[in-house]
Amino acid sequence: MLQKLADVFHRQVLGMNRRNADVIYRNHTRKDFTVADDKVVTKQLLEPAGIPVPQTYAILHEIRELQEAWERIRQLADLVIKPANGRAGQKILVLKRTDDGWETPGGTHYSAGAIQRHIADIIYGTHASGAWDRAIVESRVVAHPFFRAIYEDGLPDVRVIAYEGTLVQAMCRIPTAASDGKANLHQGALGVRIDLETGRLGQGYNYEQYHPAHPDSGVRFAGRTMPAWDAVRAISLDVCDLVPLDYLGIDIVLDETQGPLVMEINARPGLEIQNVNRQGLREQLTALHS
Ligand SMILES: Nc1ncnc2c1ncn2[C@@H]1O[C@H](COP(=O)(O)OP(=O)(O)O)[C@@H](O)[C@H]1O
Ligand SMILES: [Mg+2]
């Protein structure tokens, strides 16, 4: 019986080879992927179309732009600096003003000089094996009280998977003590099922077991309904219309004052969402494609 269930799940689960060959690369050229892989390009596509994203304060292409841009950046109390071509949180600096400079959520102090060095490192591409990059300076998103009531630290996000313009699965990723405030499942964040129709949260999964409540705060989330769910859906569908890719992972954060904002688009979204939702993607995608 168990073997049978495992066989059924195995047939329904989308694996990485099939995802890459049949779903992601099937209809596309390399250029199509820059829309997701380059965060400057993503913003340039979404912002003019009226899709909400964190406010862009500056984009730096060259070290020589730093001096002039710094006059504006130094006025900012809250800001985030990140590389256009970064991934997995590399080189992302989240900063809040203090009396004598800025600090990260973990309490590391940053002086003006340290921030400028960070920007220069991004431009020189020290995170990207020496390939030059651009540094994005943007507004800092503050987690919505709905999520802060579940767990106070870090910034949770919503991942929506879309295929050929249809939303197929969703989850939110809630940081934990193990993930050190990060919303990355590989680092120990909790992936929580979201019902696509209603925005209702289900169980959370952390590679070990399913949880109805947050393992650190003890707050129960299963059964609660996400605020602004209709807006999250509408934004995801608008992104599908704009982006020239069939298969997409859309990451949306819920800001305490601005509501849903698109944080990034992934052309090769991870497959763990199938475990979070206990639902294989393969059949869903095949059904949509036929
Ligand atoms: N504007 C922002 N405000 C607050 N936190 C941010 C912001 N941009 C990025 N972060 C933090 O950095 C993480 C990774 O950012 P993201 O843009 O998704 O880049 P990556 O491609 O490295 O995943 C986010 O999940 C969030 O925790
Ligand atoms: Mg990300």
Side-chain angles (χ1 to χ4, degrees), residues 39 87-89 92 157 159 173 251 263-264 266:
K39 292 185 174 71
R87 44 176 293 278
I92 297 189
D157 69 1
R159 158 69 57 89
R173 297 178 291 196
D251 292 350
M263 174 106 316
E264 69 163 333
N266 281 284

Side-chain angles (χ1 to χ4, degrees), residues 20-230:
N20 290 348
D22 294 356
V23 181
I24 296 186
Y25 297 110
R26 189 168 42 107
N27 290 324
H28 298 292
T29 61
R30 274 189 313 194
K31 187 166 165 288
D32 293 336
F33 291 96
T34 57
V35 168
D37 293 344
D38 185 308
K39 292 185 174 71
V40 170
V41 179
T42 308
K43 287 192 121 174
Q44 283 169 345
L45 182 71
L46 302 190
E47 229 169 354
I51 295 179
V53 293
Q55 188 186 346
T56 307
Y57 296 134
I59 294 171
L60 291 100
H61 302 71
E62 308 274 355
I63 305 287
R64 63 183 155 83
E65 295 167 354
L66 187 52
Q67 203 175 358
E68 194 191 320
W70 182 252
E71 290 309 309
R72 281 178 292 131
I73 296 169
R74 65 193 282 262
Q75 319 279 340
L76 302 169
D78 284 9
L79 68 152
V80 170
I81 300 171
K82 58 185 176 187
N85 291 313
R87 44 176 293 278
Q90 281 169 351
K91 279 281 166 188
I92 297 189
L93 198 53
V94 178
L95 294 170
K96 237 193 296 195
R97 168 98 71 198
T98 62
D99 291 342
D100 60 344
W102 290 262
E103 71 176 17
T104 65
T108 306
H109 176 263
Y110 269 79
S111 64
I115 298 175
Q116 290 174 19
R117 279 194 295 281
H118 186 91
I119 293 173
D121 275 355
I122 289 176
I123 295 173
Y124 279 131
T126 49
H127 64 291
S129 317
W132 286 66
D133 203 350
R134 283 135 300 147
I136 301 173
V137 184
E138 67 181 20
S139 61
R140 181 171 75 91
V141 176
V142 179
H144 189 280
F146 173 80
F147 284 113
R148 290 215 306 267
I150 295 170
Y151 187 64
E152 226 168 309
D153 287 348
L155 182 64
D157 69 1
V158 176
R159 158 69 57 89
V160 178
I161 300 287
Y163 185 59
E164 296 186 340
T166 303
L167 311 185
V168 288
Q169 289 197 21
M171 66 172 166
C172 60
R173 297 178 291 196
I174 303 181
T176 60
S179 80
D180 191 23
K182 303 206 175 67
N184 189 312
L185 299 187
H186 292 286
Q187 307 199 25
L190 207 58
V192 178
R193 172 185 168 80
I194 301 182
D195 179 70
L196 263 182
E197 294 308 315
T198 61
R200 193 125 76 111
L201 271 48
Q203 301 262 321
Y205 176 72
N206 66 349
Y207 285 111
E208 283 168 9
Q209 62 186 94
Y210 290 90
H211 301 263
H214 194 283
D216 303 309
S217 68
V219 175
R220 191 183 165 90
F221 48 74
R224 295 190 187 191
T225 299
M226 272 264 316
W229 184 244
D230 287 346

Side-chain angles (χ1 to χ4, degrees), residues 3-23:
Q3 185 54 43
K4 224 173 174 179
L5 275 178
D7 287 347
V8 169
F9 190 61
H10 190 71
R11 278 202 304 277
Q12 294 176 349
V13 165
L14 181 68
M16 190 164 335
N17 289 339
R18 194 176 287 264
R19 180 201 68 172
N20 290 348
D22 294 356
V23 181

